[in-house]
Amino acid sequence: MSARGALLRALRAGVASGAQGARAGSGGRAIATAAAAEGSSSRGSWLAGAAGTIAGLSGCTWVASADHEGEHGLHAPAWPWSHEGMLDSYDHAAIRRGFQVYQQVCAACHSMEYIHYRDLVGVCYTEEEAKAMAADIEVVDGPNDEGEMFERPGRLSDPLPAPYANEQAARYANGGAYPPDLSLITNARPDGQNYLFSLLLGYKEPPAGVSVREGLYYNPYFPGGAIAMPRMLADGGVEYDDGTPSNSSQQAKDVTTFLAWAASPEQDERKLMGVKALTIIGIMWGFALYQKRLRWSVLKSRKVVVDVVN
């Protein structure tokens, strides 16, 4: 009886600590309190104590999950991207439309310092179109023969223009928030493509009990839930040159595809090289199997008899 009483006391202590650690496990706390008040060693007390412990631990798990979502943001759902399969390639029409969304919406705050106009040639624009776009910007170059800086029209070798001269200017213009460079954003964020797509469309009013300070906007997919960037995509906000309907979800899909290409522009070539390598390996494996089973089988299965007498 003493051993059973000690075990029962341990169960009660575990239930009490679990209840204090998780307010959401109120049902478990009530069951644990009833089990502690009973103080008997009957089978019902054991079952009640076990149930209270399980309920308290469930409450702890629920609170921990809620804290994780609040700190790291809501986990984005998995969306069916057309270029994710082993034999799938980028949708180049979507890349072109996504670049238009970046130019008309995102480029006002976000830079893409690792993408040059020449990178667009053969992907979503012809060389003539890329040259015309580059010529529309003015680039500070130099020094010239007199040692002075000068402005010239852009070239294919120039990167996409940055909206701000430096980080301090970017923070000053955005209330202290620094808009990140988008060149590698899909690789820099966990589950980058799904995260970006969900973030762009995830703006909503904060739920009851959640307050967001002035200048921030509620988005459950952003870590902390409060983001300095307002909702930027609106139906009809971008006019596509191919006539595709420009609703907000289409814009989010296209710009995410463009940013995925910007982060991994070699993906299609890498997949093609992998298919070629697997094809060659398959051919070599068949050749090796033929040599092993047919050519060498005669030599490996022959019987050698040594006549030591003669």
Side-chain angles (χ1 to χ4, degrees), residues 296-307:
W296 283 90
S297 61
V298 179
L299 299 177
K300 293 182 66 175
S301 61
R302 66 180 179 177
K303 184 177 181 180
V304 179
V305 178
V306 180
D307 188 355

Side-chain angles (χ1 to χ4, degrees), residues 39-56:
S40 65
S41 58
S42 64
R43 183 178 181 84
S45 299
W46 282 75
L47 292 177
T53 302
I54 294 174

Side-chain angles (χ1 to χ4, degrees), residues 97-239:
R97 293 193 300 267
F99 178 71
Q100 294 175 26
V101 176
Y102 167 77
Q103 274 193 316
Q104 300 179 36
V105 179
C106 309
C109 298
H110 296 273
S111 62
M112 294 192 73
E113 62 174 317
Y114 298 116
I115 300 298
H116 299 70
Y117 285 100
R118 62 170 178 260
D119 298 325
L120 305 176
V121 176
V123 176
C124 54
Y125 289 96
T126 63
E127 183 175 351
E128 290 72 19
E129 290 174 327
K131 285 182 177 180
M133 286 191 299
D136 289 339
I137 66 172
E138 294 292 329
V139 178
V140 177
D141 202 350
N144 56 16
D145 295 339
E146 299 177 356
E148 298 179 351
M149 306 299 289
F150 62 93
E151 291 186 350
R152 60 166 176 80
R155 304 168 183 166
L156 288 179
S157 58
D158 293 322
L160 301 183
Y164 305 106
N166 48 58
E167 180 179 343
Q168 288 72 21
R171 290 188 181 277
Y172 179 78
N174 292 277
Y178 179 58
D181 184 87
L182 299 182
S183 303
L184 305 173
I185 194 67
T186 58
N187 290 346
R189 300 293 185 269
D191 197 15
Q193 298 179 65
N194 294 322
Y195 166 75
L196 284 179
F197 182 82
S198 301
L199 180 72
L200 291 173
L201 300 178
Y203 290 89
K204 59 181 66 176
E205 293 296 325
V210 176
S211 61
V212 179
R213 68 179 177 86
E214 185 179 358
L216 298 181
Y217 305 87
Y218 179 73
N219 193 316
Y221 296 100
F222 188 76
I227 184 173
M229 180 181 72
R231 182 185 180 98
M232 300 301 297
L233 302 182
D235 294 343
V238 176
E239 184 176 354

Side-chain angles (χ1 to χ4, degrees), residues 2-26:
S2 59
R4 178 176 294 184
L7 184 57
L8 183 58
R9 286 193 298 271
L11 279 174
R12 292 172 183 169
V15 171
S17 61
Q20 293 176 359
R23 296 180 179 177
S26 58

